[in-house]
Amino acid sequence: MTLRNKLVDVALRWQESFGVAPSITNAISEYDAALLVGMTESEYSDYMQDKTAVNKGSDFVFNHQRYQVKANRPSGKPGSKVTKVAKATNYLWDKLIWILYDKEFIMQEAWEWDVNDYILEFDGKNRISPDDYRKGKCLYRKE
């Protein structure tokens, strides 16, 4: 079992016991996004060693591209369907990846945006939905 899967397993057991999963979506999605764009687990680990949990702008850099990652995961409880997604609060990145998980942290889809296209599409919008992010480049979609 991979370290990612162990973390997900613990979070889901926590949710089962205490009602709400611990906040692991950011860590999981940054890892998954790095692998989606071709980074190896070893390269990601090496890159992250001197980083903190809060980095302004990008979440990781690969092949001279700065990546910002956003993700959503519904809990599976009533009312947890994802209808609103996070908007980037700055443009100190080259590419944004949005990932949608299911309640088990299994990736359902992933979409990529170049910063200039993102600004044109979303800068003036207050509310962004999954359908908005789906207008980007599809990196993954579970069939």
Side-chain angles (χ1 to χ4, degrees), residues 3-134:
L3 190 55
R4 180 207 187 275
N5 291 346
K6 287 179 184 177
L7 178 59
V8 167
D9 183 57
V10 168
L12 292 175
R13 284 191 285 143
W14 184 281
Q15 178 177 312
E16 188 178 298
S17 294
F18 303 113
V20 177
S23 299
I24 66 164
T25 305
N26 285 347
I28 295 293
S29 65
E30 289 170 16
Y31 169 85
D32 287 343
L35 296 184
L36 271 176
V37 299
M39 216 173 190
T40 66
E41 186 175 281
S42 177
E43 288 170 323
Y44 181 72
S45 175
D46 290 346
Y47 176 81
M48 295 303 289
Q49 291 305 309
D50 63 346
K51 306 301 182 277
T52 64
V54 180
N55 292 311
K56 186 173 182 170
S58 63
D59 294 308
F60 66 92
V61 177
F62 181 63
N63 286 342
H64 309 291
Q65 297 289 304
R66 298 169 299 166
Y67 287 89
Q68 171 68 240
V69 181
K70 302 291 183 192
N72 294 91
R73 178 236 169 211
S75 68
K77 294 179 181 179
S80 73
K81 183 178 183 220
V82 177
T83 59
K84 182 180 178 184
V85 296
K87 180 179 175 183
T89 57
N90 67 64
Y91 302 121
L92 304 174
W93 44 269
D94 302 303
K95 295 182 182 285
L96 180 138
I97 297 175
W98 174 69
I99 299 174
L100 179 64
Y101 294 100
D102 69 7
K103 66 182 182 173
E104 305 290 325
F105 290 95
I106 296 170
M107 189 184 309
Q108 300 300 297
E109 53 189 288
W111 301 87
E112 180 182 84
W113 284 84
D114 289 317
V115 67
N116 293 329
D117 293 336
Y118 188 93
I119 291 169
L120 286 172
E121 186 74 23
F122 301 122
D123 194 48
K125 277 188 132 173
N126 291 327
R127 181 180 171 82
I128 301 175
S129 74
D131 285 338
D132 290 320
Y133 272 154
R134 290 179 182 123

